[in-house]
Amino acid sequence: MALISCPECGHTISTKAQACPSCGYVLKPSEQDGGRGPLQSPHVWSTALGVLGAWLVTPWIARLIVALAVCVLGYFMFTGK
């Protein structure tokens, strides 16, 4: 059994440890996790959902701005101001 330093907090831990007992940094995926891959990371999914939301909302915002501009332009054209 060798000792290494935790990449997160720097405490000395065993190479057989699955997580740092001091900070909880996961060194090795446990058998229960099934070896999480990069697509199972919560950060990846939150970023993907944020991009998807922006992609779906942006066209509506653009249409709203154009509609408001047309209304303002029409108001000034028809009122003679």
Side-chain angles (χ1 to χ4, degrees):
M1 173 177 83
L3 297 175
I4 60 170
S5 63
C6 174
E8 188 72 23
C9 67
H11 282 86
T12 304
I13 55 176
S14 169
T15 55
K16 293 187 178 187
Q18 292 183 354
C20 175
S22 177
C23 68
Y25 180 80
V26 178
L27 298 170
K28 297 179 185 175
S30 66
E31 297 299 323
Q32 296 171 345
D33 292 342
R36 283 187 160 186
L39 290 179
Q40 293 175 335
S41 169
H43 179 68
V44 171
W45 287 108
S46 64
T47 303
L49 288 175
V51 169
L52 177 64
W55 180 70
L56 292 173
V57 169
T58 302
W60 290 101
I61 293 172
R63 289 181 194 137
L64 178 66
I65 291 171
V66 169
L68 288 173
V70 167
C71 289
V72 169
L73 184 64
Y75 173 78
F76 285 113
M77 286 177 59
F78 292 113
T79 59
K81 291 185 179 181

